[in-house]
Amino acid sequence: MSPRELLRQATARLAAAGVESPRVDAELLLAHALGVSRARLITADDVADPARFLALVDQRADRVPLQHLTGTAAFRHVELAVGPGVFVPRPETEQIAGWVLEQVAGVEVPVVVDLGTGSGAIALSVAHEHPGARVTAVERDPDAIVWTRANAATRAAAGDTPVTVTAGDMTDPGLLTELEGAVDVVVSNPPYVPEGAGLPREVAEHDPPLALWGGPNGLDVVRGLLRTAARLLRPGGLLAIEHADLQGDSLPALVRAHGPWADVVDHPDLAGRPRYTTARLGRG
Ligand code: GLN
């Protein structure tokens, strides 16, 4: 069958299943099944045996995340291996990593800690884009950290400055005691989904619960994270925390109420939704 006809049928199937971007997903799955780039699909020959592609379309129609089917997620300038057990990095998180990079641009050897790193997206992007950075990536979920370690090994083999991967809980008062008072930036995309919030099936059924849920108002883990960040950062060190679009007031308010934070600022994502809060350690 021609790629064109296969794509037409798959797009209709995915649209009927409620998939948000059916045409793009169909193209990426066909490219993956054929082992070619998406751009090469227009010149691809007829597909003699579309079984592999059709099986992928079935799974996507059953709302398995696209990235689990292709096995990768693009984040800024790196490709991360993802699959069952690890949170799929999102495009809306790319900017918080960009903010961190802007802050450390003039610093030769900045010390950066990524709390709740999952696939390693933020930590590995910082190391990729600032080769001088000394980055530590922390993950508590034993299933997720397998992916963190694999991605860190891939990036280091590709020539990036190695990132230190540490098993631990971002709320643990004993975490990274060796870095106390020595960190330039603490960054985190913590679990912040409020209990009971509705999530798409891709997220609810495939992202790890530990990476999502943050208690009644979604801020339970953040409280512990703020204590850890205050302990790790040097005076004047910076904090950046991602949050839900409905936490654009509550998260900055929590930071302000919580301790010695100055310059508390909230930032929107590319879609204009409130997405992350930054602050500086030290009374302002
Ligand atoms: N942004 C994620 C979602 O789409 C939630 C991520 C998180 O809790 N850190 O569900």
Side-chain angles (χ1 to χ4, degrees), residues 51-68:
R52 182 167 145 74
F53 172 61
L54 297 176
L56 290 169
V57 173
D58 278 347
Q59 287 177 276
R60 187 68 192 98
D62 195 29
R63 308 299 289 274
V64 176
L66 175 73
Q67 296 88 342
H68 282 201

Side-chain angles (χ1 to χ4, degrees), residues 76-151:
R76 295 181 67 87
H77 303 287
V78 299
E79 281 267 320
L80 300 149
V82 293
V86 73
F87 180 82
V88 173
R90 313 280 206 263
E92 62 264 32
T93 303
E94 292 181 341
Q95 272 156 292
I96 194 173
W99 184 88
V100 171
L101 282 155
E102 277 165 31
Q103 305 311 307
V104 300
V107 186
E108 216 171 311
V109 187
V111 179
V112 177
V113 173
D114 176 11
L115 297 174
T117 193
S119 65
I122 298 175
L124 295 169
S125 289
V126 170
H128 180 71
E129 295 179 53
H130 190 326
R134 255 191 230 143
V135 184
T136 299
V138 176
E139 178 53 54
R140 67 173 157 169
D141 184 340
D143 294 329
I145 203 168
V146 176
W147 295 93
T148 324
R149 291 195 197 285
N151 284 317

Side-chain angles (χ1 to χ4, degrees), residues 20 22 25 30 33 37 44 54 62 86 91 98 105 132 137 144 151-152 208 219 244-245 252 268:
E20 217 171 86
D25 286 23
L30 183 58
S37 72
L54 297 176
D62 195 29
V86 73
N151 284 317
L219 297 173
D245 33 14

